[in-house]
Amino acid sequence: MTMPPTCSGLLCLSLLLGKSLLVSSVQVVTSGQQNISLNGKWTLENSNGSLSLPAEVPGCVHTALLKQGYIQDPYYRFNDVAYGWIALDNWTYTTTFTVPSDMRAKQRVMLVFEGIDTISTVSLNGAAVGRTDNMFLQYDFSVGALLTEGDNVLTVSLASPVRYAAQRSEAHSYRVPPDCPPEVQQGQCHVNYIRKEQSSFSWDWGPSFPTAGLWKGVRLEAYDVLRVLHLATVPVYNQTSSGWSLQVELQVEVVAEVTRGQLTLSLPGLDTQQTFPVRFLPGRTRNTYTLHVTTSGPVELWWPSGHGDQSSYPLTLQGVLGPGLTFTADTKVYFRTVELVQEPVPGSPGLSFYFRVNGKAVFMKGSNWIPTHSFQDLVSPAGVRSLLESAVAANMNALRVWGGGVYQQDLFYSLCDELGVMVWQDFMFACALYPTEEDFMDSVREEVRQQVRRLKSHPSVVLWSGNNENEVALATNWFGIPGPERPLYVKDYVKLYVDNIRALVLEEDQSRPFLASSPTNGLASERQGWVADDPYDPRYGDTHYYSYSRDCWDWSAFPRTRFASEYGFQSWPSFSTLQKVSVPEDWSWDGPFSSHRQHHAEGNRQMLEQAGLHYHLPNATDPLRRYKHTLYITQVMQAQCVKAQTEFYRRSRSEVVGGKGHTMGALYWQLNDIWQAPSWSSIEFGGKWKMLHYFAQRFFAPVLPVGFEDGVSMVIYAVSDLSVDLNLTAQVSVLSWSRPDPVCTLSSPATLVRGNSATPIFRQPVDALLKGCGNCTRRSCLLAFHLEDNHGARWGPGNHHFLCSPRDAEGIEAPHITTEVRGDGERGYTVTLHSTSVAPFVWLDAGDVPGRFGSNGFLMASRSQEVGFVPWGPTSAEELGRALTVTSLRDVY
């Protein structure tokens, strides 16, 4: 967010708290303080002075070079490799500014950097004022004595992050693996030695862009007595008294003498107000005040999406510290409790693993969030909102902020509060071991303090997690550590995540649970010294599971885990997305561009082999048509695979089989993309939904029929996230591939489906089912089914089950599908599809017209079907109609 040259009052103090005025739930006004924003135009130079150019702050070197025309789009074709030189150079940002005399006369003037990426020396008027080594920290430097009456020159000299990481590795007394990413990722080495976005050195779904820059705002803050550093609110529920209180944490910095006064906290919506005497000592102090809620009425709670409202209450804070010195704050307060329940499970030797919010067990439905762009200054508020609203539109109630990226901007968490999205928040450590020398640990400790204090007021954050996959990396020896050396690395692991990160989190925030890693066996891992023998044990904790060679339609291959926090399959994005960063010679599955863009070893081969198990692979003679169809078939494969796995987890919530089950979470990998490339995402870079996301809208529905074959029988479960009980029947239609009307329809007896459960309501041998439907065979027919109550009202979406692979089906005809677009755009458009026959996996693509469909015709079982389209910008029905393309499974062969 770009600020004006000067600011004061409400605007400045909202920034002081690390919040953006437009999205912050905290607004503070302090008398006697002056601020100057140093955002805007700076000058940027490389190490030898051969490049000198204007640069925006906030920003980074790459985007500055792009805006001034020195480089092309970094995402275009092979530019991620071509522009590798940028991260190998050192860069200097410079700005000149003046400071009013009354501001210079203040007792204290602080230079505040909200975020520097990453290794830098900061100088003012030729004097070094400090150094930085952590992208995730805010840095404050006292500079009052260095300011002059005229021009002041501020420089930030940034060292190459790649060279710095290599130097730290070389200087370390022993190897801390991994040294480098796999060669297929075309990345940089030793990222675990530098506290910056780990995936910026490359990942298996993203490019290598080790950024450098002033990625957040810069300002001067001047004051005589006091400045507010931090304000947090944490509601606490007392089980004994069944009452709420509110802990208000205020951190201030006082210049000199003891400051006395009073602080009034007011919750008008709950008829609660209290005044406290305050006494602030010199230096930085943290003060906590407990406000007891005295309302006689009920307190409205914050609930995850699908379980209730996201209620909030306004809180007003007023501080008076003597004549002429006051401060006020207005914020929102959300009341909710969260527990991570790990307790014995009847019929199992393990422990449960689920979240209880406001006393209610909640099945987590959602995905994993990675950085939305390689360059954080290009992450737009509209883009963040679109992704989160897309998650909620797909019936998700949770997202895991993955530990190899960045702690998200304030807008992300404020929107999650607003939308009811629970956040599983990793600390930024992933897929590596880490050094533990004292300067590294000092930086990490400050990182944890700042981030926990910034985020703990958000009800959406329901869990802190120390790292991504580092426990399992040690347990299963990912890095080939010799046995005698293993205790050294286990000791480092415990020192970092337990003795430091965990200890700090428990000190700063006891209102939500903490896990040392993911996946983990939770309490069982703790009992084994924090590194379990098998962190993948499905009877404990959470699991990550990937298998690309086993048939994804075979549900028995999936672990019947307590909680699935990662699983998934790759697909390619749509042609319209790839077209923006490629040229016609790139549009080949076997070409250099496809190979370069694929950062997961053997990924392209694995996708086609998995697709080939059930579908004909594209064989069009026209190369471009074959390429487009191949992109399509990878999305079909991905959607059906993740559907099968997710539905298995959802139906496993209420049962324990062989000591395994009672599954209470399904977070597939991953929600979003960082660039235009193959990945596990359900939403492409730019916001277009893949077929998987439309499937997710169905398989995460609050009420859902799940069908599968268990031996010789077809079984249907009714899954419900509702709190009420339902009497439901399963309506099962047997369809012939060769005609649109059902061959026959069966109905199960009415069954009581308890709220928050998965209940079997239909079971019948497949052979008997087909025998009663004329000449149907496994190859000629398939099943469609839905749930109804006693009044014939449908509950949840319909579903389908293939009795054979579509590749082996008999009677699939090449459909003739036409489209008709209606509507004026104000409420979106209606697209009506007409088909001459049953058409599986119908895929509509609007090309470059931004927007999303209300649902996709993944299985057309009638001659016509209506689909809504919501544009994200102005467009006409004619424009949409021209852009629409339709693909079905039969088109690819």
Side-chain angles (χ1 to χ4, degrees), residues 694 822 827-833 844 851-856 865-871 880:
Y694 290 102
R822 302 191 313 276
R827 297 185 179 181
Y829 296 97
T830 299
V831 181
T832 304
L833 295 89
L844 298 177
R852 64 178 174 85
F853 295 96
S855 64
N856 73 319
Q865 185 168 334
E866 288 189 350
V867 177
F869 180 80
V870 179
L880 177 59

Side-chain angles (χ1 to χ4, degrees), residues 737-776:
W737 285 110
S738 60
R739 66 184 194 186
D741 302 316
V743 177
C744 65
T745 300
L746 301 86
S747 179
S748 71
T751 303
L752 177 64
V753 178
R754 296 288 186 187
N756 300 295
S757 73
T759 305
I761 65 172
F762 178 91
R763 177 183 290 270
Q764 186 168 339
V766 174
D767 289 346
L769 188 155
L770 293 176
K771 187 176 181 180
C773 287
N775 295 322
C776 264

Side-chain angles (χ1 to χ4, degrees), residues 62 65-67 69-77 79 83:
H62 286 80
L65 293 169
L66 175 64
K67 290 174 182 177
Y70 286 91
I71 62 173
Q72 292 180 302
D73 179 359
Y75 286 169
Y76 182 70
R77 301 194 76 205
N79 282 347
Y83 298 151

Side-chain angles (χ1 to χ4, degrees), residues 713-730:
S713 295
M714 178 66 190
V715 183
I716 297 175
Y717 277 52
V719 180
S720 174
D721 292 330
L722 305 182
S723 298
V724 298
D725 297 342
L726 301 170
N727 279 296
L728 298 176
T729 65

Side-chain angles (χ1 to χ4, degrees), residues 501-779:
I501 293 179
R502 178 177 181 270
L504 279 168
V505 170
L506 294 180
E507 176 186 319
E508 294 285 344
D509 178 25
Q510 298 183 28
S511 68
R512 49 178 64 81
F514 173 87
L515 288 174
S517 187
S518 174
T520 183
N521 290 349
L523 290 177
S525 287
E526 292 184 29
R527 294 164 186 162
Q528 290 187 293
W530 299 96
V531 179
D533 294 335
D534 177 19
Y536 289 127
D537 190 332
R539 298 169 300 175
Y540 301 90
D542 67 316
T543 61
H544 298 183
Y545 177 80
Y546 298 93
S547 176
Y548 309 113
S549 58
R550 296 190 66 169
D551 183 357
C552 75
W553 287 25
D554 180 8
W555 59 265
S556 66
F558 306 134
R560 196 183 292 268
T561 178
R562 303 288 192 228
F563 194 107
S565 51
E566 277 194 33
Y567 59 96
F569 295 83
Q570 275 198 321
S571 72
W572 275 78
S574 62
F575 178 72
S576 60
T577 294
L578 290 169
Q579 194 173 14
K580 297 177 177 66
V581 291
S582 60
V583 295
E585 67 186 77
D586 299 328
W587 301 337
S588 166
W589 184 259
D590 301 320
F593 178 78
S594 292
S595 176
H596 176 81
R597 221 66 171 183
Q598 175 58 270
H599 283 196
H600 171 62
E602 302 298 322
N604 289 343
R605 176 187 60 79
Q606 291 168 350
M607 277 186 274
L608 290 191
E609 286 184 355
Q610 185 65 234
L613 295 176
H614 297 288
Y615 314 103
H616 290 287
L617 297 181
N619 60 4
T621 56
D622 176 65
L624 180 57
R625 182 178 177 85
R626 185 166 63 251
Y627 178 66
K628 291 180 178 180
H629 285 169
T630 304
L631 303 179
Y632 159 83
I633 205 68
T634 67
Q635 291 208 21
V636 171
M637 176 275 297
Q638 180 197 38
Q640 190 71 11
C641 285
V642 178
K643 171 184 184 291
Q645 195 164 357
T646 305
E647 290 183 349
F648 169 72
Y649 293 140
R650 291 201 68 190
R651 68 177 169 87
S652 297
R653 68 176 294 168
S654 300
E655 60 188 10
V656 175
V657 179
K660 304 172 185 177
H662 191 39
T663 307
M664 286 297 290
L667 308 178
Y668 66 77
W669 186 268
Q670 66 210 58
L671 180 75
N672 57 300
D673 268 337
I674 197 170
W675 70 332
Q676 307 91 335
S679 80
W680 294 257
S681 76
S682 62
I683 301 178
E684 300 175 6
F685 182 82
K688 179 179 287 189
W689 289 17
K690 288 182 177 178
M691 189 178 292
L692 169 57
H693 208 76
Y694 290 102
F695 271 46
Q697 196 173 44
R698 292 170 176 260
F699 63 59
F700 280 146
V703 178
L704 175 72
V706 175
F708 63 100
E709 291 187 54
D710 186 5
V712 299
S713 295
M714 178 66 190
V715 183
I716 297 175
Y717 277 52
V719 180
S720 174
D721 292 330
L722 305 182
S723 298
V724 298
D725 297 342
L726 301 170
N727 279 296
L728 298 176
T729 65
Q731 301 294 321
V732 183
S733 296
V734 181
L735 307 175
S736 169
W737 285 110
S738 60
R739 66 184 194 186
D741 302 316
V743 177
C744 65
T745 300
L746 301 86
S747 179
S748 71
T751 303
L752 177 64
V753 178
R754 296 288 186 187
N756 300 295
S757 73
T759 305
I761 65 172
F762 178 91
R763 177 183 290 270
Q764 186 168 339
V766 174
D767 289 346
L769 188 155
L770 293 176
K771 187 176 181 180
C773 287
N775 295 322
C776 264
T777 67
R778 280 185 170 273
R779 293 195 172 199

